[in-house]
């Protein structure tokens, strides 16, 4: 199975409701779709999210990285040599993790198709049904409470509450949601770097005093501030999770050496795809550090790949935040992984199981 062409397209899928964090507000998935064509007629699919405030990646940079740097290295190569191909992708250029992720996802999709098995089986197998949380965007308190109650009604057992905007109001937000949900869902807090280390410790102690025990606190402080993250981890009972602070193995090893966090959030758009995500899970597992698998604002192409990985690495990836497809107004993918509110289930179709993708505008390269 030889690679003959790599095509790029732009996909827009509106979200059901605006997605709001301490870092940004976004109303649609606007992602680059990668299709890798082969001489056997098989097509591998991938997707890159341009989350400039986190990865630094923009649409223009993703398109340029793939079309001018990565694709020329892959054309004519055999999909059977997956490890050689992922090395070519990872060493093609520095950073550009979302572009690398999209290409790797499509390569793994093809590799699994080559072997006639769903990707999770190629990655080691597992129970193909997992549960995701749902994100509650940071907003007016009444709106967040209503969104949280709606999510509980829809069957979500874990809610990821976005905070990090204003410490005083954030505490009110959490207290109000905690009271309304009344034990029917676990509360994960994600400050997206919005607090100082001292504010984060103060906030968690206030919650403790009020008898509120969130399941975890995600990325309370600036991404580069590992010392600040450790300051919080050392002083609160709530498990602290690193998200924006950890992209790849190098950051994870430093985080573990410093004992700066209790959990790490693995996202394909940060790791540059599946090969490094496997390394992160293995390093974390070796050190007894649990992982969450997360996503950016992505659709059911790249989130499907993350779901396959989560199934295969379920011993280490114990928490799932793959709600991108649930946030979308419609599903652009025919076939593939089934996203039904909290339940994500993977079928037995080879690769990612994607039959076709709707609403993609070709990008001339
Ligand atoms: C969508 C997912 N639940 C999530 O919250 N991801 C964010 C970043 C998403 C973005 O800004 O695109 C996170 O975990 O920080
Ligand atoms: Mg996060």
């Amino acid at each position: 199975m030889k690679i003959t062409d790599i095509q790029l397209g732009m996909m827009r899928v509106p979200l059901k409701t605006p997605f709001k964090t301490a870092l940004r507000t976004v109303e649609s998935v606007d992602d680059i779709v990668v299709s890798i064509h082969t001489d056997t007629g098989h097509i591998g699919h991938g997707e890159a999210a341009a989350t400039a405030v986190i990865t630094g990646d923009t649409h223009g940079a993703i398109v340029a990285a793939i079309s001018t740097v990565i694709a020329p290295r892959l054309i004519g190569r055999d999909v059977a040599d997956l490890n050689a191909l992922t090395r070519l992708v990872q060493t093609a250029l520095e950073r550009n993790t979302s572009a690398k992720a999209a290409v790797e996802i499509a390569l793994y999709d093809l590799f699994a198709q080559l072997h006639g098995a769903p990707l999770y089986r190629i990655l080691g197998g597992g129970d193909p049904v997992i549960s995701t949380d749902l994100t509650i965007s940071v907003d007016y308190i009444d709106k967040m409470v209503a969104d949280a109650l709606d999510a509980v009604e829809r069957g979500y057992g874990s809610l990821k509450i976005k905070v990090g905007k204003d410490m005083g109001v954030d505490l009110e937000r959490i207290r109000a949601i905690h009271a309304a949900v009344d034990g029917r869902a676990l509360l994960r807090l994600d400050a997206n770097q919005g607090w100082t280390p001292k504010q984060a410790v103060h906030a968690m102690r206030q919650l403790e005093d009020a008898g509120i025990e969130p399941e975890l606190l995600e990325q309370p402080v600036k991404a580069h501030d590992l010392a600040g993250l450790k300051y919080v981890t050392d002083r609160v009972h709530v498990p602290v999770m690193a998200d924006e602070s950890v992209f790849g193995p190098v950051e994870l090893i430093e985080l573990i050496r410093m004992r700066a966090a209790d959990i790490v959030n693995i996202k394909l758009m940060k790791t540059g795809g599946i090969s490094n995500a496997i390394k992160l899970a293995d390093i974390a597992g070796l050190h007894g550090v649990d992982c969450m698998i997360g996503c950016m604002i992505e659709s059911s192409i790249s989130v499907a790949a993350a779901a396959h990985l989560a199934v295969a690495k379920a011993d280490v990836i114990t928490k799932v935040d793959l709600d991108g497809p649930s946030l979308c107004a419609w599903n652009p993918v025919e076939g593939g992984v089934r996203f039904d509110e909290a339940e994500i289930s993977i079928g037995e179709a080879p690769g990612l199981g994607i039959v076709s993708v709707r609403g993609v505008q070709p990008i001339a390269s």
Side-chain angles (χ1 to χ4, degrees):
M1 191 186 279
K2 294 251 171 63
I3 296 172
T4 52
D5 192 15
I6 298 185
Q7 295 176 1
L8 302 179
M10 183 76 205
M11 178 179 64
R12 165 161 293 183
V13 181
L15 299 179
K16 288 174 185 158
T17 178
F19 177 81
K20 301 181 187 177
T21 73
L23 291 174
R24 68 181 191 141
T25 296
V26 55
E27 298 192 359
S28 53
V29 171
D30 287 285
D31 286 1
I32 305 293
V33 173
V34 176
S35 318
I36 302 188
H37 294 252
T38 62
D39 60 355
T40 55
H42 293 85
I43 300 173
H45 294 92
E47 174 182 354
T51 319
V53 289
I54 296 177
T55 58
D57 296 330
T58 59
H59 293 130
I62 292 166
V63 171
I66 297 175
S67 59
T68 65
V69 186
I70 300 174
R73 295 185 138 207
L74 300 178
I75 304 292
R77 302 293 303 241
D78 195 330
V79 169
D81 299 331
L82 180 67
N83 287 346
L85 299 189
T86 61
R87 261 196 307 280
L88 284 175
V89 172
Q90 296 303 324
T91 57
L93 72 175
E94 284 297 310
R95 302 178 193 279
N96 288 280
T97 50
S98 306
K100 291 173 182 170
V103 175
E104 270 211 2
I105 290 166
L107 289 173
Y108 274 84
D109 181 14
L110 283 170
F111 186 75
Q113 290 181 49
L114 176 68
H115 292 281
L119 178 57
Y120 79 92
R121 289 202 187 276
I122 298 293
L123 297 176
D127 178 353
V129 182
I130 52 177
S131 290
T132 180
D133 60 17
L134 186 72
T135 302
I136 306 299
S137 285
V138 60
D139 217 312
Y140 299 109
I141 295 172
D142 289 353
K143 167 93 169 85
M144 291 181 77
V145 167
D147 287 349
L149 287 175
D150 180 55
V152 171
E153 289 302 312
R154 286 158 57 196
Y156 288 94
S158 300
L159 305 179
K160 175 150 154 171
I161 312 298
K162 291 290 186 182
V163 288
K165 289 289 255 192
D166 171 295
M167 174 54 65
V169 186
D170 280 341
L171 284 170
E172 282 183 52
R173 290 180 168 110
I174 299 162
R175 284 194 204 101
I177 293 169
H178 179 264
V181 166
D182 194 22
R184 285 175 292 163
L186 295 172
L187 302 186
R188 301 170 171 173
L189 309 178
D190 188 356
N192 283 107
Q193 312 178 52
W195 293 337
T196 66
K198 285 189 176 170
Q199 280 179 326
V201 172
H202 173 72
M204 291 307 102
R205 292 201 175 145
Q206 295 277 105
L207 294 181
E208 262 173 42
D209 289 348
I212 299 173
E213 287 180 30
E215 184 192 1
L216 56 86
L217 170 62
E218 181 171 345
Q219 198 63 48
V221 304
K222 295 276 180 246
H224 64 265
D225 188 9
L226 280 193
L229 197 60
K230 178 174 172 54
Y231 178 92
V232 182
T233 302
D234 284 347
R235 286 167 178 77
V236 301
H237 291 303
V238 175
V240 173
M241 181 160 72
D243 180 6
E244 290 94 318
S245 290
V246 173
F247 272 48
V250 173
E251 292 99 350
L252 178 60
I253 289 167
E254 181 60 8
L255 181 108
I256 290 171
R257 194 192 62 74
M258 287 177 64
R259 297 182 189 275
D262 305 294
I263 315 171
V264 63
N265 188 342
I266 298 175
K267 292 179 183 160
L268 298 182
M269 296 300 137
K270 293 188 298 171
T271 59
I274 295 172
S275 62
N276 269 336
I278 292 170
K279 287 187 189 126
L280 283 197
D282 288 345
I283 294 167
L286 203 60
H287 291 86
V289 172
D290 271 6
C291 300
M292 170 182 276
I293 186 105
C295 61
M296 304 294 185
I297 291 301
E298 301 164 45
S299 84
S300 47
I301 303 174
S302 49
V303 180
H308 279 265
L309 178 69
V311 163
K313 290 282 175 191
D315 54 329
V316 181
I317 298 175
T318 56
K319 299 173 199 309
V320 178
D321 174 35
L322 296 181
D323 59 348
S326 303
L327 302 172
C328 290
W330 47 270
N331 183 2
V333 172
E334 189 197 333
V337 173
R338 188 156 175 269
F339 294 90
D340 181 13
E341 299 289 12
E343 186 178 283
I344 300 175
S345 47
I346 303 181
E348 285 304 301
L352 294 178
I354 294 173
V355 176
S356 63
V357 184
R358 279 194 293 152
V360 180
Q361 299 299 319
I363 297 171
S365 54

